Amino acid sequence: MSIKVSSVTKNYQAQKALNNVSFEAKDGQIIGFLGPNGAGKSTMMKILTGFIKPNKGKVLVDDIDVLQNPIKAQEIIGYLPEHNPLYTEMYVREYLQFQASIYKVDKSRIETCINKVGLTSEAHKKINQLSKGYQQRVGLAATILHDPKILILDEPTTGLDPNQLVEIRSLIKELGKDKTVLFSTHIMQEVEAVCDRVIIIKKGELVIDKTLIDLQQNNQQIIKVIFNLEVEESQIKTLENLVVSKNIGNNTWQLTFKSEEDMRSKIFDFAQENGFKVLELSSENKTLESLFRELTLQ
Ligand code: ADP
């Protein structure tokens, strides 16, 4: 089951939420949808599920046009909204029966889903007696009741304690074995733990769409260099293979290169050619965490 998003733009009056975003998700992938708060993640998810309409663009799920045919699309999509809205006064089974009757799902699915999300031992309880992690399992059970082939999960791990986090992540991974999953988060480690692919948006624009393996082997080098003089940004920009440059004050630059060559010697050459001296130079391996920070910070 695939997802295809083409040139989606969404404005809330004057507020731009998404600007010309396109991406595809292939059958069976688990995709981490990352971005800082306000980047447009929830908006994209609501559009994917047919809950709101974009101003421009097209969304297909398994070749069904979500904008033309939202009900048909929703039959194959399971959506867990942010903050997992539940009726917490209800018992777990009662809630799932209620959801099953709304969505006209065979009641026999309830026990299957309870087992699938690891809720069996807690299923006789009231939802408000459950821990946040188990409440999240109830949300996930409701999301998979109609056996959707695509799961859209909006920040499913927010507010969980470290143990619950690990459990819910592994549950998402398990569910992803036979589904295409798109889930939003602002935690990069989560993506490393669970996903095959990473999509990063910032201020409504797509900045990265790569497999995790490509991201991990992206030949990025971060080099921190202190010159003896102030160096103009225009000069720094003449360095080959430079992706990002950041002046961090006191004649110090943090430079990110994408190259298989060791760029440290190039920086010495650059300094010599331009009449500077390198006082200090250090390089670090780029973690996904630092890549994410760099891509999403101002
Ligand atoms: P994220 O999920 O990445 O935090 P959102 O999609 O919620 O981002 O928000 C993207 C932008 O759109 C933000 O600037 C937000 O304030 C704005 N926004 C979201 N929903 C609405 C709405 N219903 N009305 C007006 N502005 C909204």
Side-chain angles (χ1 to χ4, degrees):
M1 293 280 166
S2 60
I3 301 172
K4 190 166 183 203
V5 173
S6 315
S7 308
V8 164
T9 292
K10 172 74 186 173
N11 304 322
Y12 297 103
Q13 284 99 31
Q15 176 68 49
K16 258 193 189 304
L18 292 170
N19 186 18
N20 204 26
V21 175
S22 303
F23 65 87
E24 275 183 56
K26 298 214 165 48
D27 201 2
Q29 280 184 326
I30 303 187
I31 300 177
F33 197 43
L34 272 147
N37 279 334
K41 303 181 297 294
S42 294
T43 301
M44 177 53 87
M45 293 187 145
K46 288 178 196 161
I47 291 172
L48 279 171
T49 51
F51 188 61
I52 59 172
K53 290 201 183 307
N55 297 83
K56 196 173 111 348
K58 197 167 173 177
V59 180
L60 300 178
V61 291
D62 201 33
D63 296 328
I64 302 165
D65 187 324
V66 178
L67 308 178
Q68 306 284 337
N69 223 333
I71 305 285
K72 195 146 181 260
Q74 282 159 5
E75 284 172 11
I76 58 165
I77 296 176
Y79 173 45
L80 182 64
E82 199 178 358
H83 309 307
N84 182 15
L86 294 169
Y87 294 109
T88 53
E89 285 300 316
M90 283 185 161
Y91 288 87
V92 172
R93 283 198 176 83
E94 185 188 16
Y95 175 72
L96 293 174
Q97 274 159 9
F98 169 62
Q99 291 288 325
S101 64
I102 292 179
Y103 296 106
K104 302 190 171 56
V105 172
D106 194 311
K107 296 260 182 350
S108 67
R109 282 282 304 160
I110 293 171
E111 290 309 310
T112 310
C113 294
I114 284 176
N115 289 334
K116 198 148 193 171
V117 302
L119 197 57
T120 315
S121 63
E122 306 294 300
H124 61 285
K125 293 187 179 165
K126 250 190 187 178
I127 295 175
N128 63 14
Q129 293 175 315
L130 302 180
S131 67
K132 184 99 197 326
Y134 275 102
Q135 291 193 359
Q136 208 60 350
R137 289 174 198 255
V138 177
L140 283 166
T143 306
I144 61 169
L145 271 178
H146 59 301
D147 200 13
K149 297 291 171 250
I150 294 175
L151 287 185
I152 310 247
L153 312 175
D154 198 349
E155 304 212 1
T157 59
T158 299
L160 300 182
D161 71 28
N163 289 333
Q164 295 165 347
L165 262 180
V166 172
E167 286 166 16
I168 296 298
R169 281 177 193 164
S170 80
L171 178 56
I172 293 171
K173 208 160 176 168
E174 182 63 34
L175 294 174
K177 282 187 179 158
D178 62 351
K179 301 186 194 300
T180 306
V181 182
L182 183 76
F183 82 96
S184 68
T185 172
H186 44 259
I187 309 167
M188 194 74 201
Q189 295 97 313
E190 189 145 294
V191 172
E192 293 193 80
V194 182
C195 300
D196 314 304
R197 260 226 359 258
V198 185
I199 292 176
I200 302 182
I201 58 168
K202 175 186 175 182
K203 292 187 183 162
E205 311 228 350
L206 192 133
V207 288
I208 283 263
D209 176 3
K210 286 202 164 131
T211 63
L212 194 64
I213 291 170
D214 278 353
L215 260 186
Q216 283 163 334
Q217 304 171 336
N218 65 356
N219 299 324
Q220 297 250 15
Q221 299 168 43
I222 304 181
I223 300 177
K224 193 167 124 191
V225 54
I226 307 178
F227 296 105
N228 63 328
L229 300 169
E230 199 173 309
V231 182
E232 293 295 323
E233 182 157 20
S234 56
Q235 281 177 299
I236 290 284
K237 290 254 155 87
T238 63
L239 278 160
E240 270 177 50
N241 306 321
L242 183 70
V243 193
V244 182
S245 59
K246 204 155 112 200
N247 186 345
I248 49 181
N250 295 330
N251 305 336
T252 308
W253 286 83
Q254 183 174 291
L255 307 172
T256 306
F257 297 94
K258 189 170 168 67
S259 170
E260 282 173 25
E261 246 184 299
D262 187 342
M263 293 305 295
R264 287 176 299 182
S265 64
K266 298 280 173 196
I267 293 175
F268 281 107
D269 295 346
F270 162 83
Q272 197 178 22
E273 281 157 21
N274 290 282
F276 313 123
K277 284 198 166 60
V278 172
L279 300 183
E280 210 177 298
L281 187 145
S282 56
S283 73
E284 60 179 82
N285 283 337
K286 195 166 199 75
T287 61
L288 287 183
E289 188 68 36
S290 66
L291 178 68
F292 174 62
R293 252 187 284 123
E294 189 180 293
L295 285 167
T296 54
L297 285 174
Q298 293 300 339

